[in-house]
Amino acid sequence: MKLKHNFKWNKYLAAGLVMTGIAVLLGILGFFWTPYSTTAMNAAEKFSPPSLRHIFGTDNFGRDIFSRVMQGLGTSIVISSLVVLISGAAGIVIGALTGYIGGILDEVVMRITDAVNGFPSILLTLVIISILGNGKQNVIISMGIVFIPSYVRIVRSEYLRLRDADYIRRARLMGVSRFRILFVHILPNIFSVFWVSVMIGFNNAILAESGMSYLGIGVQPPDASLGKMLSDAQGYLQRAPWYALAPGLTIVWLVLGFSLFSEGIRRKEE
């Protein structure tokens, strides 16, 4: 039974690593090199179907879709990484303090997180962006703020569970500082739970960024974005279905890869 369980876990983790690895490599490569220019227009090759010359075809301006998908992948991965970094770091600090110290601080922070969670995340992100303005930087800030409460709750619950563990009591009796207890003794023991949340956070950030760009308030031209490509392609679904399929399936590939990776981590910890 143990061998069978490990095989299942390896299968999920291997699939997730392969899928995300391919996407990340293409995204990173897209910052330095693409088969064609992502901005140069070519009216003679407008709406060319997928071929050996243009494996994903071309768009309504004759631009190579595969090149733009590579750049869009890089943009989505960078934005999602920064969002998870901001919200995850803030969630760790706030969740650790509220979970370990408790009291009035815990009550105040929990009421704030309840209030934030009471609004649909996409709506709250739109409100913040409307205040800050369009653009990648403001998308990162707004999404980073909106995603903080989910990490706070996860970290807080783990600190509540571990703060009275025997090894933590012994550390307190030995005079270990609160900072060291919070971030050296307890924090490493919550990573198994936290990393699954990080992978889920990547998925949510990718979908949110694509949604923002689709609505025209995320990544702005001339930068390529998978969501913006989907928005531009919706008027050409019958004439050039590959225009929408390429960025759409790329988003599915990326989200599925992170989902399989997080499932592999979860099964490993069972």
Side-chain angles (χ1 to χ4, degrees):
M1 292 298 293
K2 186 67 173 177
L3 291 174
K4 185 178 180 181
H5 174 82
N6 286 340
F7 175 75
K8 287 184 177 180
W9 166 68
N10 287 332
K11 183 170 63 175
Y12 281 105
L13 190 57
L17 283 172
V18 169
M19 294 179 72
T20 55
I22 292 172
V24 170
L25 285 175
L26 286 175
I28 293 174
L29 183 61
F31 285 117
F32 305 100
W33 174 86
T34 53
Y36 298 89
S37 169
T38 58
T39 56
M41 302 179 186
N42 186 350
E45 293 190 333
K46 185 171 66 173
F47 291 128
S48 296
S51 63
L52 292 177
R53 181 176 173 82
H54 299 285
I55 60 174
F56 284 177
T58 62
D59 62 11
N60 53 316
F61 293 110
R63 297 172 299 190
D64 181 64
I65 294 177
F66 179 66
S67 299
R68 292 181 60 79
V69 164
M70 287 177 64
Q71 191 180 86
L73 263 175
T75 300
S76 292
I77 291 170
V78 168
I79 289 177
S80 301
S81 299
L82 291 173
V83 167
V84 171
L85 179 63
I86 292 170
S87 56
I92 286 175
V93 174
I94 298 171
L97 293 174
T98 56
Y100 186 79
I101 298 174
I104 296 176
L105 176 64
D106 185 38
E107 287 295 325
V108 171
V109 171
M110 286 302 100
R111 297 297 74 79
I112 293 174
T113 58
D114 288 340
V116 173
N117 288 331
F119 293 91
S121 58
I122 191 74
L123 177 61
L124 191 57
T125 304
L126 287 172
V127 170
I128 298 174
I129 289 179
S130 68
I131 296 172
L132 299 178
N134 298 344
K136 285 188 289 189
Q137 181 178 349
N138 293 334
V139 168
I140 293 169
I141 294 171
S142 59
M143 288 169 57
I145 293 172
V146 170
F147 286 5
I148 288 175
S150 61
Y151 291 109
V152 169
R153 287 193 168 276
I154 292 167
V155 174
R156 172 183 174 270
S157 65
E158 290 299 302
Y159 271 77
L160 284 172
R161 180 175 65 85
L162 295 172
R163 68 180 181 181
D164 292 323
D166 290 341
Y167 73 97
I168 298 301
R169 290 180 178 179
R170 287 195 296 269
R172 284 198 292 264
L173 289 173
M174 294 171 62
V176 177
S177 68
R178 180 173 290 178
F179 178 88
R180 187 173 179 83
I181 289 174
L182 287 175
F183 300 110
V184 176
H185 290 268
I186 298 180
L187 183 60
N189 291 306
I190 74 167
F191 276 154
S192 60
V193 175
F194 187 72
W195 281 119
V196 174
S197 303
V198 167
M199 293 299 104
I200 295 173
F202 266 108
N203 278 352
N204 293 336
I206 290 165
L207 292 173
E209 183 275 323
S210 297
M212 295 295 101
S213 298
Y214 180 87
L215 295 173
I217 57 176
V219 178
Q220 300 297 307
D223 292 333
S225 165
L226 299 176
K228 188 67 171 71
M229 290 176 69
L230 274 176
S231 177
D232 293 339
Q234 66 181 357
Y236 309 102
L237 290 177
Q238 292 185 341
R239 183 176 181 182
W242 57 86
Y243 191 1
L245 281 174
L249 291 177
T250 300
I251 294 173
V252 172
W253 176 278
L254 190 56
V255 170
L256 182 59
F258 278 117
S259 297
L260 290 172
F261 189 78
S262 62
E263 179 66 12
I265 296 176
R266 186 187 68 80
R267 286 174 177 258
K268 175 181 180 296
E269 299 301 329
E270 287 181 350

